[in-house]
Amino acid sequence: MSPSSSTNQSSISVRIKDSLVSVFNNFFIHALLIIANRVLHENRYTSYHLSSIYEWCNSQWWSLHSSLWSSDIAVHFIGTSTLTWISYVIFNAPFIYCDLTGKPAWMLKYKIQEDKVIPMNPDDFIKMLKVALKNVAVVGSLFSLFIYPICMFFGALHKRHLPSFEEAIIDMIAFYCGFEMFSYYSHRLMHHPRLYKRFHKLHHEWTQPSSVESVYCCPTEMVVSNLIPLVIGPILMGSHITVFWVTMVNTLLMTTIQHCGYHLPFFESPEGHDYHHKYFNRVYGIWGILDSLHGTGIKGTLNGKRHYRLFSTTPVCVTYPKK
């Protein structure tokens, strides 16, 4: 066997290993939650209280459904649109304030790109915000109406009890699998030379990302790379609308963090996606599973060393400084 063949096999083995580690890290917690749920239900005391909580949640769900005229489409459209707006504003507000004012000062030490200009140019912010709000308000809302009959076709009836805990976790695992796969390949497709300039270049207008930039893109990219990957799992599983809402809010938080430009304690590391915005040629996925498999991760780079969840107040740039 030639040295080059041995090296290639070793490289493939490392990629597969990294992919399996990413799968384990992302889905192990869900398996633990299912096991914990079963253990708790075997205990009469905890089972009683869990049942009480479930019944209370069900009563709140029926109250919400009734307040929207007991209409599935009203729940689907109004509920989804309202929750999207509220989540987008809440998640982005702290980062927008910091980007525009440079306050609070302690947050600036967590900047990923240390040369990031703070405060941000107001004209750039307004330009970015207009596109982002159009995508959230218009494109997102129209897409929500469009997929409603598709959701119904796959059995996502909203006029029923909330799903069990185990059912919700299984649906979420399906969501994460679909989201990672469709996000990675649709995003990588957008970097094809024939598509990049027409569809994806707008999103890469700034190499120093900010949270608002998470949905700063053309309508086509918004649908293909953001919305379709988001809904494919819940649609195919016929998930209850509340499960979709949970995954949607989690995804909004995740993409906000990935674009915010700050590696804050206890939050998911945005180092990977920040690297993508700076260099364009790596990190196409969300959780790194397919990036590890295809060799498009950032292992061996400075961002790769810094790419971990921070559980202290010491910035990663202090732990791993530029040489």
Side-chain angles (χ1 to χ4, degrees), residues 10 31 102 119 175-176 179 208:
S10 175
F175 158 76
Y176 290 131
F179 192 57
Q208 298 177 338

Side-chain angles (χ1 to χ4, degrees), residues 76-94 96 128-142 144 212 215 222 230 244-245 248-249 252-253 256:
H76 178 93
F77 177 70
I78 298 176
T80 302
S81 300
T82 303
L83 193 57
T84 300
W85 270 103
I86 293 173
S87 301
Y88 186 78
V89 170
I90 291 176
F91 295 156
N92 279 275
I96 291 174
M128 198 181 298
L129 187 64
K130 286 180 179 178
V131 175
L133 293 182
K134 181 184 71 174
N135 280 329
V136 173
V138 180
V139 180
S141 298
L142 291 176
S144 177
V212 177
V215 288
M222 182 69 179
L230 177 66
F244 171 66
W245 286 346
M248 180 188 71
V249 170
L252 279 171
L253 175 60
T256 300

Side-chain angles (χ1 to χ4, degrees), residues 77-137:
F77 177 70
I78 298 176
T80 302
S81 300
T82 303
L83 193 57
T84 300
W85 270 103
I86 293 173
S87 301
Y88 186 78
V89 170
I90 291 176
F91 295 156
N92 279 275
F95 299 113
I96 291 174
Y97 180 76
C98 185
D99 283 344
L100 292 177
T101 66
K103 299 176 182 179
W106 62 263
M107 196 166 164
L108 300 181
K109 66 181 181 180
Y110 295 105
K111 286 191 300 180
I112 296 175
Q113 297 186 35
E114 296 167 36
D115 57 347
K116 180 177 180 179
V117 179
I118 300 293
M120 185 181 188
N121 185 319
D123 292 335
D124 289 343
F125 171 73
I126 295 298
K127 179 182 179 182
M128 198 181 298
L129 187 64
K130 286 180 179 178
V131 175
L133 293 182
K134 181 184 71 174
N135 280 329
V136 173

Side-chain angles (χ1 to χ4, degrees), residues 4-17:
S4 60
S5 298
S6 177
T7 302
N8 288 337
Q9 288 184 353
S10 175
S11 176
I12 293 172
S13 298
V14 170
R15 292 180 187 180
I16 293 174
K17 181 180 178 181

Side-chain angles (χ1 to χ4, degrees), residues 1-176:
M1 182 181 294
S2 66
S4 60
S5 298
S6 177
T7 302
N8 288 337
Q9 288 184 353
S10 175
S11 176
I12 293 172
S13 298
V14 170
R15 292 180 187 180
I16 293 174
K17 181 180 178 181
D18 288 344
S19 299
L20 291 175
V21 169
S22 297
V23 171
F24 180 82
N25 289 337
N26 283 287
F27 302 131
F28 180 64
I29 186 63
H30 294 87
L32 284 180
L33 288 171
I34 291 175
I35 294 171
N37 181 60
R38 289 188 176 182
V39 171
L40 289 172
H41 273 89
E42 288 178 0
N43 182 290
R44 292 177 61 186
Y45 178 77
T46 56
S47 178
Y48 169 78
H49 287 284
L50 287 174
S51 297
S52 299
I53 293 172
Y54 179 77
E55 290 304 321
W56 180 84
C57 290
N58 253 319
S59 67
Q60 300 306 305
W61 164 246
W62 286 116
S63 296
L64 173 63
H65 201 282
S66 299
S67 67
L68 293 173
W69 313 287
S70 297
S71 167
D72 276 4
I73 191 169
V75 170
H76 178 93
F77 177 70
I78 298 176
T80 302
S81 300
T82 303
L83 193 57
T84 300
W85 270 103
I86 293 173
S87 301
Y88 186 78
V89 170
I90 291 176
F91 295 156
N92 279 275
F95 299 113
I96 291 174
Y97 180 76
C98 185
D99 283 344
L100 292 177
T101 66
K103 299 176 182 179
W106 62 263
M107 196 166 164
L108 300 181
K109 66 181 181 180
Y110 295 105
K111 286 191 300 180
I112 296 175
Q113 297 186 35
E114 296 167 36
D115 57 347
K116 180 177 180 179
V117 179
I118 300 293
M120 185 181 188
N121 185 319
D123 292 335
D124 289 343
F125 171 73
I126 295 298
K127 179 182 179 182
M128 198 181 298
L129 187 64
K130 286 180 179 178
V131 175
L133 293 182
K134 181 184 71 174
N135 280 329
V136 173
V138 180
V139 180
S141 298
L142 291 176
F143 184 79
S144 177
L145 283 175
F146 173 78
I147 66 168
Y148 172 75
I150 302 175
C151 293
M152 296 300 103
F153 176 80
F154 280 92
L157 300 175
H158 307 330
K159 292 180 179 177
R160 59 185 173 96
H161 288 291
L162 295 176
S164 67
F165 183 79
E166 290 185 11
E167 181 185 350
I169 292 296
I170 291 172
D171 284 2
M172 287 180 187
I173 291 175
F175 158 76
Y176 290 131

